[in-house]
């Protein structure tokens, strides 16, 4: 599964767009974040949200699948349009990398 997707929904004459990316932290820790941007298609981002940190790419991909599964019943459909909001998502990842909560205490994944 790709680590980036775009969903579009037409609602009351507006085209709504959600772009999500799963991105690894650059520190080599194996931690990933899911970053989502939402707003009207062709306009600046209205909202940025993040989920994480997640342990590894597989967990991040499962998170993306869950987001898609929850949005499709609401009328969102996959789109092959190019990403519009890569820069705001990249800035959000950079912000998260410099916050202490993005590096949680070590917790074993398996007990």
């Amino acid at each position: 599964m790709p680590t980036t997707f775009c969903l579009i929904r037409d609602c009351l004459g507006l085209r709504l767009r959600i772009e999500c990316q799963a991105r690894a932290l650059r520190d080599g820790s194996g931690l990933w974040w899911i970053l989502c941007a939402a707003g009207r298609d062709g306009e600046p981002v209205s909202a940025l949200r993040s989920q994480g940190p997640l342990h590894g790419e597989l967990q991040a991909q499962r998170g993306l699948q869950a987001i898609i599964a929850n949005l499709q019943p609401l009328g969102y459909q996959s789109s092959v349009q190019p990403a519009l909001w890569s820069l705001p998502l990249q800035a959000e990842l950079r912000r998260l990398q410099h916050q202490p909560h993005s590096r949680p205490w070590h917790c074993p994944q398996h007990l």
Side-chain angles (χ1 to χ4, degrees):
M1 173 173 187
T3 56
T4 301
F5 70 84
C6 175
L7 297 174
I8 299 288
R9 176 183 177 200
D10 291 315
C11 180
L12 301 173
L14 300 174
R15 178 163 270 203
L16 306 176
R17 177 186 192 98
I18 297 177
E19 291 182 18
C20 291
Q21 297 179 353
R23 303 281 300 272
L25 293 179
R26 292 184 181 175
D27 63 4
S29 64
L31 296 177
W32 286 64
W33 281 86
I34 295 175
L35 310 164
C36 294
R40 292 182 187 173
D41 193 25
E43 294 187 14
V45 173
S46 297
L48 283 172
R49 299 289 184 266
S50 57
Q51 179 70 42
L54 305 167
H55 295 278
E57 184 177 3
L58 181 61
Q59 203 174 45
Q61 287 180 343
R62 287 180 182 159
L64 286 175
Q65 288 171 344
I67 291 169
I68 292 169
N70 281 291
L71 290 173
Q72 284 178 331
L74 299 175
Y76 285 91
Q77 298 177 353
S78 295
S79 173
V80 293
Q81 293 181 2
L84 297 177
W85 300 325
S86 295
L87 290 177
L89 290 172
Q90 184 178 1
E92 177 69 3
L93 180 64
R94 205 173 297 124
R95 184 187 71 77
L96 291 168
Q97 290 185 80
H98 296 296
Q99 287 190 352
H101 70 73
S102 68
R103 291 175 176 78
W105 295 314
H106 173 71
C107 296
Q109 293 182 24
H110 305 286
L111 297 177

